[in-house]
Amino acid sequence: MAEDLFVRARSAMRKAHAPYSKFPVGAALRTRDGRIYAGCNVEVVSFPEGWCAETTAISQMVMDGGGEIAEIAVVAEKLSQCSPCGGCRQRIAEFGRPETRIHLCDAEGGVRTTLTLDEMLPRSFPTEALS
Ligand code: THU
């Protein structure tokens, strides 16, 4: 079921602009209504200005009208299970639910581990806090 997301994430990873870290990452998310958006990491010579693959995928979703993330796959060339960074977990929380599935993938083998957002970011800062 999530294998299609893995394939899209891996294709995105191959487009990464990661000349400084040499650590290409790809992500692909599925919205609750079935749309898929993918992204890669994009680095900048002023290092803190670069951004993550998950961020690109989420931006694509927002630019296409937004949505809610049902599941997201992440893959890196050099890690057998690439786990979203802390900032990206909060970004996924912004557009997901506690039960949103996060698939940690291996570039050769596909989905290795699936966790919920609640497992990866327990007791997250709730978006309702600002309403
Ligand atoms: N990176 C991502 O794209 N996603 C993550 O969740 C972790 C880190 C990228 C950022 C940077 O371009 C490279 O990996 C090395 O940190």
Side-chain angles (χ1 to χ4, degrees), residues 1-128:
M1 175 64 179
E3 285 302 312
D4 60 336
L5 283 186
F6 159 67
V7 168
R8 293 286 296 269
R10 188 172 55 181
S11 305
M13 178 186 79
R14 292 180 177 143
K15 296 179 178 168
H17 177 72
Y20 309 109
S21 72
K22 300 189 175 15
F23 192 85
V25 184
L29 66 86
R30 192 185 336 267
T31 59
R32 283 179 65 79
D33 59 7
R35 289 169 287 139
I36 294 177
Y37 300 98
C40 62
N41 53 333
V42 180
E43 297 181 350
V44 177
V45 66
S46 177
F47 297 162
E49 302 304 328
W51 63 90
C52 289
E54 298 90 327
T55 305
T56 305
I58 290 170
S59 304
Q60 299 271 25
M61 178 188 78
V62 170
M63 283 303 293
D64 200 32
E68 193 178 300
I69 302 173
E71 52 183 333
I72 181 166
V74 185
V75 63
E77 212 172 68
K78 296 178 177 171
L79 259 190
S80 63
Q81 297 193 38
C82 188
S83 193
C85 76
C88 285
R89 293 177 198 199
Q90 189 67 52
R91 284 186 195 92
I92 296 165
E94 181 74 25
F95 297 99
R97 293 184 185 193
E99 59 270 25
T100 291
R101 296 179 299 286
I102 301 175
H103 307 291
L104 315 184
C105 303
D106 171 69
E108 303 304 324
V111 177
R112 286 279 192 242
T113 303
T114 298
L115 295 163
T116 64
L117 176 63
D118 192 49
E119 288 172 311
M120 299 216 72
L121 190 67
R123 305 188 68 168
S124 64
F125 182 62
T127 48
E128 318 83 74

